[in-house]
Amino acid sequence: MRQAHAEDARTEARRVISNLLGEEQPTAATLIADARPVIGAERIERCLELALGASLTRRSAELASIAALLVGTGELGEEWWTKKRGGKLPAPDEVLATAAAIEPWTDLTVLEMLAAWIADDAADALWGAAVAEVDLDSWQAEDRFDLPPGAKAGERLVVHFDAGGRLDAVVTRRSDEDLGSNLDFHSLRYSRPAETQWSWGVAAGLGPHPLPGESPDPYAREVPDEAVTILRDWALRHGATIEQLGEEWHNVGHVVAAIERVDWMWRGAEWFGWWRGASALVDDSGYLPHRLAELAAG
């Protein structure tokens, strides 16, 4: 049942990305080709440098961020990259060039940070600046923020909950005549760059995603037999099929494709340990012996 939900998510992601980018099966090559004339050749080369610097298990997320930048630039114009901001916020071009971390996205990579930025700017352009931020980990609807001055009963206020994510809060007069607000969860929506980022990552999957001009091919690196045996045997014992794992794991590309097919995130919590081992194998991490030992002991 959980794997069925995973396929439902992929189907929806493919539908959305087809509507946004016209791609039934998104690939790194088509994404870069589409993005180059919109974002600019020099910026795309810099984006590729950053994507190449990411681990292979992070590459899909970096490419999804480029997809968000493609759609966001199409909506806001190339001037979005050069527009000067007040205070401590530089122009996006400067952030791309220097890889400087900026608030409030310091826990993200540079490309993820720019994708969140353009998703928020696109949301502001569509629905106006948000008056407050709310955490949707709590589904309490009433009085989640202080009302701005001049708020009136019946007014709908835009609030922020995620990069590019917005919903409305309806100003309401309480029984004691004070004004409060109720979140309207039915109004939840995302800007197109935010939708693109999620959809591209899910539709395209973990990979393999070779990049233009990349040499040597990192997906062609051979993987050690002992690690392969431990990871495959563990996965088979815990419900994965031969079809999902693939007949052979001779190189990194085989492992990446298997991780995508197995849908480990939709399985039991114990599969997180398998993911850590498989990702350590893909990324040639020094932690690989420890991850394999944890699986063997589990």
Side-chain angles (χ1 to χ4, degrees):
M1 179 62 72
R2 290 168 66 89
Q3 281 73 43
H5 290 320
E7 188 53 42
D8 287 345
R10 277 193 289 268
T11 299
E12 174 63 12
R14 286 192 288 265
R15 182 191 67 79
V16 173
I17 208 66
S18 177
N19 289 339
L20 290 169
L21 295 180
E23 297 178 13
E24 293 290 339
Q25 295 293 331
T27 67
T30 56
L31 172 64
I32 298 305
D34 290 345
R36 196 178 299 275
V38 177
I39 295 176
E42 290 187 10
R43 293 189 188 101
I44 284 299
E45 289 307 312
R46 175 58 175 155
C47 288
L48 284 173
E49 286 179 16
L50 294 169
L52 283 166
S55 64
L56 291 180
T57 50
R58 291 286 310 152
R59 181 172 287 188
S60 178
E62 299 289 76
L63 291 169
S65 297
I66 295 174
L69 291 167
L70 163 59
V71 170
T73 303
E75 288 196 347
L76 300 178
E78 194 174 356
E79 59 270 20
W80 178 83
W81 290 90
T82 59
K83 184 179 178 182
K84 297 292 185 183
R85 268 72 172 184
K88 298 180 180 179
L89 206 58
D93 265 342
E94 183 179 338
V95 174
L96 181 64
T98 64
I102 56 174
E103 296 288 350
W105 304 297
T106 54
D107 59 334
L108 303 178
T109 69
V110 176
L111 291 177
E112 289 173 328
M113 179 171 55
L114 289 166
W117 190 352
I118 206 165
D120 270 336
D121 282 358
D124 288 347
L126 275 174
W127 304 304
V131 302
E133 181 172 355
V134 295
D135 181 359
L136 291 194
D137 285 340
S138 168
W139 286 87
Q140 175 188 337
E142 298 81 16
D143 301 328
R144 295 285 300 280
F145 60 94
D146 293 331
L147 293 175
K152 296 178 177 62
E155 185 178 3
R156 298 181 75 88
L157 304 174
V158 177
V159 295
H160 170 286
F161 67 88
D162 202 358
R166 301 292 187 268
L167 76 162
D168 294 340
V170 182
V171 180
T172 304
R173 191 172 298 282
R174 305 297 186 199
S175 57
D176 59 4
E177 294 302 312
D178 284 344
L179 292 178
S181 66
N182 295 330
L183 296 180
D184 175 9
F185 293 112
H186 294 292
S187 68
L188 187 150
R189 66 251 188 212
Y190 283 94
S191 66
R192 282 162 49 94
E195 284 190 323
T196 304
Q197 186 173 10
W198 175 82
S199 300
W200 200 98
V202 173
L206 194 68
H209 294 302
L211 296 177
E214 187 172 28
S215 182
D217 179 1
Y219 295 104
R221 177 173 55 82
E222 294 184 357
V223 288
D225 291 340
E226 181 182 2
V228 166
T229 299
I230 292 172
L231 287 163
R232 286 178 63 90
D233 287 352
W234 189 98
L236 289 168
R237 289 198 308 272
H238 288 79
T241 66
I242 289 292
E243 290 74 18
Q244 289 169 328
L245 290 171
E247 292 293 339
E248 57 186 21
W249 285 14
H250 293 321
N251 58 43
V252 168
H254 293 149
V255 183
V256 168
I259 294 172
E260 175 63 24
R261 289 192 300 266
V262 161
D263 288 328
W264 67 272
M265 286 188 292
W266 296 86
R267 297 177 182 267
E270 71 274 10
W271 275 82
F272 181 65
W274 182 87
W275 153 251
R276 296 209 303 172
S279 61
L281 178 59
V282 168
D283 294 330
D284 198 20
S285 166
Y287 287 104
L288 179 60
H290 305 289
R291 302 296 180 236
L292 297 178
E294 289 170 357
L295 283 179

